[in-house]
Amino acid sequence: MDDSGDSSHGALLAHVLLPVANEEDARRTARALEPYDPGRVSALHVVEKGEGVPDKTPVAQSEEQAEAAFAAIRGVFPDASDHVAYDRDVLDAILETAREIDASAIAFRSREGGRLLQFLSGDLSIKLVTNADRPVIALPRGDQTA
Amino acid sequence: MSADGEELAKDLGPLAALTIGVGTMIGAGIFVLPGTAIENAGWFAVLSFVLGGGIALLTALSASELGTAMPKSGGAYYYVNQALGPLFGSIAGWSNWLGLAFASAFYMVGFGQYVQAILDIESVLVLGPLSLPSVKLIAFLGAAFFILVNYVGAKETGRLQNGIVLILLGILAVFTVVGAFRADPANLPPGEGLSPMLTTTGIIFVSYLGFVQITSVAEEIKNPGKNLPRAVIGSVLIVTTIYALVLITMAAAVEQGFIAEAQRAGSIAVVEVGRVLLGPIGALALLLGGLLATASSANASILASSRINFAMGRDEIVTPELNTVHPRFGTPYRAIGITGALILLFILAGSVELLATLGSVLHLVIYGLLNLALITFRETAVIDYEPSYRVPLYPIVPAAGALLSFALIVFISPTVIALGGLLVAGAIVWYFAYAKQRTTERGALFEFIETRREDMPDSIVSAASSVHPDGGEFRVLVPLANPEHESDLISLASAIAKQRDGVVDAVHIVTVPDQTSLAYASEHFEDKRAESRALLDAAESDAHVYDVPIEKTTIFSHRSFEEIFDAAREHDADLVVMGWGPDSHGSPGRVESALDDLTTQLPCDFLALKDRGFEPDRVLVPTAGGPSSDLSAEVARTLQREFDSEVTLLHVAADPSDGEEFMASWADAHDLSDATTRVETGDVDEVITAAAEESTLVVIGATSRGLLSRLVFGSSILDAAEGIECSVLLAERPSSRSIRERLFG
């Protein structure tokens, strides 16, 4: 675990935080990161809380979602650790977790969809890039993976 | 992490929980229906609202107890299904789902009335050849908007929700206080008698639907043991008080006949009374209140119905596909989409009163069943039913709650009862046609009847078993590793599956080194694939000898033994038939303790065969009682039926006469009285080994939990098994955990 960072890619990929939304997203994100041979990988699933209103999905289902996403990550990085965060603000949760685990970088894969879809689901990419206090890596979409 | 996670998942404080209840309830019920209520029942309309609140309160007490005992998503449906079984679960689930859809449609029609009044739109819009009532058109558009909001998962904040509830309470408080000053008993329209009052209660009961929604988000409430009952009961008390005061104001602060006139003029009675009491500003405030209230009720109900869908899907009363989460929005979009379509349909099809009353009637059915569920849990003394809140005056409170809920239905208009009855009948048909073959939950009531077969009248036992779920096909999972044992394992599994009309599920687990990703392995391990295909094809032809359907799967995994447990869970297996021995499933995982943990939670029955050839001619069943020996008895009976095996039961006792007595009653209880019985004294291992010499197969029940795991890993093999030369089949059945797990897991 402590032997990360010794590889030639330097410290940038020493400990990568991968925020993932669901199984499919997790699988694709992990595959996109795999060729760069990161040191340590930590997966993060954020459950959006309303702080006063019920969640979009029941707790049991949110946990299922997280578990499925982590399993997909472990299919590529068997030693990846996983984290579930509960927060009203997904961005906050990502940055907070990155600080907690002292990640060297946050890697994500921008998801498809036009402007309307981005607007409806809240465009995280821009917010992440503008607000992060550490390197943010945009992984190639790599649509070749069928 | 999970304990931590659970704490973090809880973000609803006591106030938030309360506002969910109050916010959902204060809606079209109080902003649309008082006019109709007073017109129908005179000043008795006040009593209608109080009676409705009373029935709601009784059910709220029961819901609180159930909610603290089982903080699970799905609320009323979940409790009914767990207590009364899936037939009633199906009725409760469909009633709850459709009831909420009717209620939402009603809220939106109310919303339409308010928008129409505010914008002062013509009541009929003519579009070319079409003429549409504008209220319905607005309701339709409004509903489409709120469905979309829930579909994409855009969320209001808790603060907004609190704000809305506070504004509503403020508006209604001013309205009633000013009304109180103007109240004059002489204004009261005469009461119309008991029967119209009860009929009115049936219509306005739709105003009390929100409190059960609190239990459906119980998992998200902080300190639910305390906060859940407070929120549920508190919200009903608050809302009932407000409704009563509003109704008194409306009946006593304006002259007799005023309401009837407003109704005839097609204007909203509450708003007209507000105009009289507070001038144009009052009317405007009430218009705004009505808008907020109807919108927030509809919004909350759409989300609530998706929770019911989730719980129904989890139990396979409806297809779990319904709960698929949208990859982008993170919402259960299919459930919301279908509920949305129903709401839109209902808006077009029904009148305000019809929608309200259908919403009421279906919820009365659910509330009645919910109270019965509580009584069932208490009376059948289900293990681990430990609510931190208990209803006072049991059994009077839940009994009265059930009785009044069902009794009120009688007073509702015959057309609505017929429609409601049709929907309930539909749910029953649905159960027998669809859910019975799929769902597995039997319900506490059924378990209770089952364990007391002898003391119950036959008619009850047979009625209970005729509605009993089949839990899908009986599925025998066979994890295959060593081709040498494939044929024997599949033969045994097929024989059992054949007797149970089930299927064999052959799974080849290919172990992949940790360094290799599973995705890579499944694409590149060509030789493994070929090997796997050969093994599974062999399994298929062996199963065909018994004429049993077989399913074949190859799983690539980093783990071997643990994967069997995962596969058993995922494939929903009823029984696992596996090999046991050094060449069967390799070494266990790295962490011993994690494995112990796994094996103490068997997902289903397990049979482990120490294979020295499968010859079921003479079967020896050593028994000392216990759940695992029940399983060994079942296996012996199956072999008897399938292969005409000679079965010998063996009991080793310290005292021969006690032993004989045990043996006779055990054989009888397990339907094996035609088997040869032997009772012997002496060293257990030696006796079994000696008896085994005359047998071709020994079927032995694991005596202590986790024995199976130790056997499979060869760390502590039963001494007797070492000396036995024929095949040994070890049977292990998960202990009492199972009920607990299914109920509260």
Side-chain angles (χ1 to χ4, degrees):
Chain A
M1 290 286 205
D2 307 81
D3 62 349
S4 52
D6 63 345
S7 30
S8 55
H9 49 58
L12 186 60
L13 293 179
H15 186 180
V16 183
L17 179 68
L18 280 187
V20 289
N22 53 50
E23 190 176 350
E24 181 61 15
D25 177 42
R27 198 171 59 80
R28 289 176 174 235
T29 308
R31 281 196 186 172
L33 180 63
E34 196 180 17
Y36 306 100
D37 189 25
R40 240 173 100 188
V41 173
S42 290
L44 168 68
H45 178 83
V46 185
V47 178
E48 245 184 295
K49 300 299 291 180
E51 286 170 5
V53 287
D55 293 356
K56 291 189 227 178
T57 46
V59 175
Q61 200 174 11
S62 307
E63 282 170 359
E64 271 169 31
Q65 284 270 305
E67 220 15 82
F70 295 149
I73 296 268
R74 279 195 296 267
V76 179
F77 303 110
D79 293 322
S81 60
D82 47 53
H83 305 265
V84 183
Y86 299 82
D87 207 308
R88 160 135 193 93
D89 187 331
V90 179
L91 179 69
D92 267 0
I94 295 174
L95 299 180
E96 180 63 28
T97 311
R99 266 192 292 280
E100 253 168 49
I101 64 165
D102 197 23
S104 59
I106 301 167
F108 76 104
R109 209 178 128 273
S110 170
R111 285 186 279 163
E112 44 281 290
R115 209 172 282 177
L116 179 66
L117 211 57
Q118 296 275 7
F119 170 74
L120 288 174
S121 60
D123 187 3
L124 216 63
S125 311
I126 301 248
K127 284 192 248 167
L128 189 59
V129 173
T130 12
N131 295 306
D133 55 355
R134 63 198 68 227
V136 174
I137 301 166
L139 294 167
R141 282 266 292 277
D143 290 327
Q144 76 281 357
T145 49
Chain B
M1 187 205 74
S2 98
D4 235 22
E6 252 159 54
E7 278 318 301
L8 291 170
K10 297 179 185 304
D11 70 336
L12 301 177
L15 197 65
L18 188 74
T19 44
I20 288 172
V22 175
T24 313
M25 279 190 273
I26 298 189
I30 195 63
F31 280 97
V32 174
L33 292 178
T36 317
I38 291 175
E39 207 183 3
N40 291 346
W43 78 267
F44 278 11
V46 180
L47 300 183
S48 292
F49 274 87
V50 172
L51 177 65
I55 295 174
L57 183 64
L58 292 172
T59 307
L61 294 167
S62 294
S64 299
E65 174 170 327
L66 292 165
T68 59
M70 288 164 279
K72 286 282 205 164
S73 204
Y77 153 75
Y78 185 78
Y79 313 134
V80 172
N81 195 48
Q82 292 292 331
L84 305 175
L87 172 61
F88 290 99
S90 196
I91 296 172
W94 278 102
S95 301
N96 212 343
W97 184 8
L98 295 176
L100 279 173
F102 281 119
S104 303
F106 162 68
Y107 299 146
M108 287 322 297
V109 174
F111 177 82
Q113 291 188 358
Y114 274 82
V115 172
Q116 188 211 16
I118 289 173
L119 299 181
D120 204 14
I121 305 171
E122 293 291 317
S123 67
V124 177
L125 294 176
V126 182
L127 295 168
L130 278 172
S131 68
L132 266 175
S134 56
V135 168
K136 288 216 165 182
L137 185 66
I138 299 163
F140 191 87
L141 295 176
F145 173 76
F146 288 110
I147 293 158
L148 182 72
V149 164
N150 279 282
Y151 191 96
V152 305
K155 292 205 311 175
E156 55 181 324
T157 65
R159 227 172 297 150
L160 182 63
Q161 169 84 28
N162 287 345
I164 290 176
V165 170
L166 277 178
I167 292 174
L168 289 177
L169 291 181
I171 292 172
L172 292 175
V174 172
F175 178 74
T176 52
V177 168
V178 175
F181 286 112
R182 301 253 326 226
D184 178 355
N187 285 340
L188 286 176
E192 296 286 341
L194 192 64
S195 183
M197 189 275 273
L198 291 171
T199 306
T200 306
T201 311
I203 299 171
I204 59 90
F205 195 72
V206 74
S207 323
Y208 291 99
L209 304 190
F211 65 92
V212 175
Q213 264 55 279
I214 303 174
T215 65
S216 124
V217 295
E219 296 169 300
E220 296 166 42
I221 298 176
K222 293 177 194 159
N223 192 1
K226 220 156 88 191
N227 290 332
L228 186 128
R230 283 184 185 172
V232 173
I233 299 163
S235 62
V236 172
L237 289 176
I238 291 175
V239 165
T240 308
T241 311
I242 294 173
Y243 290 174
L245 292 175
V246 168
L247 263 287
I248 290 171
T249 297
M250 292 194 48
V254 290
E255 284 160 28
Q256 276 189 40
F258 180 88
I259 303 277
E261 211 171 290
Q263 288 285 104
R264 257 193 308 279
S267 43
I268 305 167
V270 182
V271 176
E272 293 315 310
V273 175
R275 199 186 306 279
V276 171
L277 294 179
L278 302 160
I281 296 177
L284 195 67
L286 282 163
L287 283 169
L288 176 73
L291 210 60
L292 287 175
T294 49
S296 73
S297 294
N299 193 32
S301 303
I302 294 168
L303 184 70
S305 73
S306 77
R307 295 296 166 98
I308 296 157
N309 290 154
F310 172 74
M312 290 170 80
R314 187 170 51 190
D315 294 330
E316 303 214 37
I317 297 276
V318 295
T319 167
E321 299 282 307
L322 201 57
N323 298 322
T324 310
V325 174
H326 194 282
R328 206 49 205 269
F329 304 133
T331 53
Y333 65 107
R334 290 182 183 161
I336 289 172
I338 292 176
T339 308
L342 288 173
I343 294 171
L344 295 177
L345 178 76
F346 295 159
I347 288 174
L348 294 181
S351 70
V352 184
E353 219 163 290
L354 180 68
L355 293 174
T357 324
L358 269 170
S360 294
V361 105
L362 290 175
H363 276 83
L364 285 167
V365 171
I366 302 156
Y367 292 173
L369 290 174
L370 184 141
N371 284 297
L372 292 180
L374 183 134
I375 296 173
T376 307
F377 276 120
R378 290 270 197 116
E379 291 307 312
T380 58
V382 173
I383 352 157
D384 285 299
Y385 178 72
E386 286 162 3
S388 51
Y389 170 86
R390 298 175 84 84
V391 296
L393 297 177
Y394 178 87
I396 298 170
V397 165
L403 212 65
L404 289 175
S405 299
F406 291 136
L408 188 56
I409 295 176
V410 179
F411 294 92
I412 288 173
S413 90
T415 329
V416 178
I417 296 179
L419 276 173
L422 211 61
L423 294 174
V424 170
I428 294 172
V429 171
W430 175 266
Y431 172 71
F432 284 103
Y434 178 90
K436 189 172 184 282
Q437 292 80 1
R438 290 172 176 82
T439 192
T440 52
E441 180 55 54
R442 290 142 60 103
L445 184 64
F446 182 83
E447 309 260 351
F448 182 78
I449 293 171
E450 183 77 336
T451 51
R452 283 167 190 71
R453 291 189 85 98
E454 281 86 47
D455 313 333
M456 293 270 172
D458 286 347
S459 58
I460 290 183
V461 176
S462 73
S465 47
S466 69
V467 302
H468 178 232
D470 307 335
E473 296 161 305
F474 189 83
R475 181 171 286 267
V476 184
L477 184 95
V478 188
L480 295 170
N482 187 336
E484 261 179 61
H485 301 312
E486 171 273 315
S487 179
D488 290 334
L489 289 173
I490 293 291
S491 299
L492 173 62
S494 303
I496 296 171
K498 186 181 172 191
Q499 290 288 336
R500 304 287 292 260
D501 285 329
V503 292
V504 170
D505 187 349
V507 175
H508 183 214
I509 298 172
V510 179
T511 323
V512 177
D514 278 354
Q515 291 74 13
T516 313
S517 86
L518 297 176
Y520 178 86
S522 72
E523 278 163 28
H524 294 88
F525 283 20
E526 262 316 312
D527 48 335
K528 287 276 183 194
R529 284 220 166 270
E531 185 190 309
S532 193
R533 242 191 319 273
L535 184 63
L536 291 172
D537 286 345
E540 183 164 29
S541 54
D542 283 321
H544 279 166
V545 174
Y546 294 85
D547 213 12
V548 173
I550 181 168
E551 287 170 22
K552 307 178 288 182
T553 324
T554 305
I555 297 177
F556 285 88
S557 171
H558 290 303
R559 309 164 310 158
S560 156
F561 189 77
E562 296 95 318
E563 194 60 47
I564 297 174
F565 282 79
D566 287 352
R569 276 195 198 96
E570 277 161 25
H571 292 211
D572 227 357
D574 298 284
L575 172 70
V576 170
V577 176
M578 62 185 287
W580 143 34
D583 49 359
S584 286
H585 285 281
S587 61
R590 293 131 295 200
V591 196
E592 283 288 343
S593 61
L595 248 156
D596 273 346
D597 202 41
L598 270 176
T599 44
T600 50
Q601 301 174 31
L602 291 184
C604 61
D605 291 346
F606 266 70
L607 293 177
L609 180 69
K610 185 162 191 178
D611 189 16
R612 297 187 183 94
F614 177 59
E615 285 171 40
D617 304 342
R618 293 184 303 283
V619 178
L620 177 71
V621 184
T623 175
S628 290
S629 79
D630 294 345
L631 177 59
S632 58
E634 282 167 28
V635 171
R637 226 169 39 233
T638 305
L639 296 175
Q640 210 179 25
R641 276 198 298 255
E642 182 65 30
F643 301 106
D644 281 328
S645 310
E646 256 174 58
V647 177
T648 306
L649 307 179
L650 173 66
H651 179 59
V652 184
D655 178 79
S657 69
D658 282 356
E660 291 288 356
E661 201 176 309
F662 168 83
M663 189 77 267
S665 72
W666 192 85
D668 204 39
H670 293 84
D671 229 355
L672 282 167
S673 26
D674 53 345
T676 318
T677 59
R678 284 173 64 172
V679 175
E680 311 224 347
T681 53
D683 179 81
V684 180
D685 292 343
E686 279 169 20
V687 172
I688 294 177
T689 312
E693 273 168 24
E694 297 149 33
S695 317
T696 56
L697 176 69
V698 177
V699 183
I700 186 163
T703 45
S704 67
R705 241 207 287 192
L707 186 58
L708 175 68
S709 66
R710 274 179 279 144
L711 282 170
V712 173
F713 310 141
S715 54
S716 144
I717 291 191
L718 205 68
D719 287 345
E722 281 296 331
I724 296 173
E725 281 170 13
C726 62
S727 291
V728 177
L729 187 62
L730 185 87
E732 183 162 353
R733 168 161 287 174
S735 49
S736 54
R737 249 194 87 77
S738 57
I739 291 182
R740 192 195 117 79
E741 210 174 36
R742 258 180 292 146
L743 274 180
F744 309 96

